[in-house]
Amino acid sequence: GLQGSGVMLLLGFGRVNWPTWVPWSVLNIETDKKRRLVLKIMGLVGLGVSATTMWFLYTAQPVPYIVGQCMAYSLNGVSRNVPPNLDAFLYMITVPIPFFVSTDRNVKITGALITVGLFLSHIINKEASTSVWCFFAAIASGYIVWHFVTQRSIERSVARNHLKTRNYSDAHSMY
């Protein structure tokens, strides 16, 4: 029903979308060739993580429950024949680490916010870390929005000044 759809949407966004989206997004703004190659590999790993997680979510039909005023999710009936914490390890490779591969300072700051958020989520409430992680991901998202808004404002200001300078030069070059 509606609850199951909401759970799948939330977990799908964070656990399926991010491992693929993050490495490819960072790749799109990276200019260094060697780093681009590393990000492509991380993106391919991310596709694998996303596909595997999608399969686990589809077969497990996660059920939400409350733990310490946070939402946690049980994966019903899925026998996971993978080493413990392998999913967390692969998530770390594909979500926070690509930010640190980038040469862009603001991308690295975003990576630091995400990494700190992931670790704090596990410290605050390991069982409900996915729910707690959403709070920290929102903080990182706020930083991303702030960065792009201020960057656009700076670019507009530079463009206006360039246009004024060009118009001034053009007007004075006629004489």
Side-chain angles (χ1 to χ4, degrees):
L2 188 58
Q3 177 182 342
S5 298
V7 168
M8 293 299 265
L9 183 65
L10 174 75
L11 294 177
F13 186 78
R15 303 292 290 188
V16 175
N17 183 47
W18 275 51
T20 299
W21 176 73
V22 168
W24 294 109
S25 295
V26 175
L27 172 69
N28 281 323
I29 62 171
E30 184 55 52
T31 56
D32 182 86
K33 277 187 168 185
K34 289 180 183 175
R35 291 173 188 249
R36 286 181 58 80
L37 177 62
V38 171
L39 289 165
K40 284 178 185 177
I41 293 167
M42 289 177 162
L44 292 173
V45 171
L47 284 171
V49 170
S50 294
T52 303
T53 303
M54 190 181 313
W55 179 81
F56 277 126
L57 290 177
Y58 177 75
T59 58
Q61 296 297 308
V63 175
Y65 62 97
I66 303 296
V67 171
Q69 299 179 348
C70 295
M71 191 76 71
Y73 306 92
S74 65
L75 300 175
N76 295 327
V78 173
S79 172
R80 294 179 59 171
N81 297 318
V82 294
N85 298 320
L86 178 62
D87 58 337
F89 173 74
L90 293 173
Y91 192 81
M92 291 296 286
I93 287 174
T94 59
V95 175
I97 292 178
F99 290 99
F100 296 106
V101 172
S102 176
T103 53
D104 186 281
R105 179 175 141 322
N106 287 302
V107 173
K108 289 182 183 199
I109 291 170
T110 303
L113 290 170
I114 287 171
T115 303
V116 168
L118 280 169
F119 284 117
L120 286 175
S121 298
H122 284 278
I123 291 168
I124 292 169
N125 191 332
K126 187 175 182 177
E127 188 175 354
S129 61
T130 299
S131 177
V132 177
W133 160 236
C134 287
F135 170 76
F136 291 106
I139 292 171
S141 296
Y143 175 76
I144 292 168
V145 169
W146 174 83
H147 166 71
F148 282 110
V149 166
T150 57
Q151 187 66 30
R152 177 165 282 185
S153 176
I154 291 167
E155 288 171 358
R156 285 181 181 161
S157 177
V158 168
R160 265 187 252 118
N161 288 336
H162 176 71
L163 185 61
K164 286 178 186 177
T165 305
R166 197 178 91 199
N167 288 341
Y168 179 81
S169 300
D170 292 345
H172 287 86
S173 67
M174 287 197 240
Y175 300 108

